[in-house]
Amino acid sequence: QVQLVESGGGLVQAGGSLRLSCTASGRTITNYAMGWFRQAPGKEREFVAVINLSGQYTNYRDSVEGRFTISRDNAKNTAYLQMDNLKPEDTAVYYCAARIHTGNFYSTLAVEEKYNYWGQGTQVTVSS
């Protein structure tokens, strides 16, 4: 079992920045790809970003490309989501997730059902 705990959310003005952290316990994240998802009020949860085991491959949803950066520090058992130039439409609960790096990883990056472990989420609110 892997337990994931997100932190770093909060209220920020449009154009500002936040850095989310996802700290794992129970097992090392070395064997897991790490992803971030978000859910805005009244909307379905959506994929935001993912990083592979080594950290050398990342992928983002189009609307955050160039503004968000996903990273990982396996020594600290932690993944991060640096969010810059935030917009009101980024307001959501952000969830960290971990998945086993299976053979179809690259074709199922954004598929929630492929992620094995989830955190409880952290609220990000961007005011205009």
Side-chain angles (χ1 to χ4, degrees):
Q1 287 285 341
V2 177
Q3 292 78 43
L4 302 174
V5 178
E6 303 95 337
S7 61
L11 174 64
V12 64
Q13 289 188 331
S17 298
L18 284 174
R19 187 195 196 201
L20 305 184
S21 298
C22 172
T23 301
S25 61
R27 291 183 180 176
T28 175
I29 64 170
T30 304
N31 297 323
Y32 296 91
M34 302 298 294
W36 288 93
F37 288 74
R38 67 186 182 187
Q39 186 168 22
K43 295 186 177 181
E44 294 187 350
R45 189 157 57 184
E46 64 184 18
F47 167 80
V48 175
V50 67
I51 188 167
N52 72 346
L53 301 184
S54 68
Q56 294 185 342
Y57 173 87
T58 59
N59 187 273
Y60 302 88
R61 71 178 300 105
D62 290 345
S63 61
V64 308
E65 183 83 52
R67 300 188 296 120
F68 289 12
T69 304
I70 189 171
S71 62
R72 64 190 296 157
D73 185 338
N74 288 343
K76 294 183 178 180
N77 228 27
T78 300
Y80 304 95
L81 185 67
Q82 176 67 41
M83 306 185 294
D84 298 318
N85 191 21
L86 282 160
K87 303 177 180 180
E89 52 263 42
D90 295 319
T91 295
V93 177
Y94 283 71
Y95 297 90
C96 172
R99 62 174 286 177
I100 297 170
H101 200 285
T102 59
N104 64 351
F105 169 73
Y106 294 102
S107 62
T108 61
L109 295 173
V111 179
E112 285 190 38
E113 290 74 17
K114 295 296 185 180
Y115 288 79
N116 307 97
Y117 303 102
W118 292 82
Q120 293 301 306
T122 185
Q123 176 70 46
V124 171
T125 303
V126 185
S127 63
S128 57

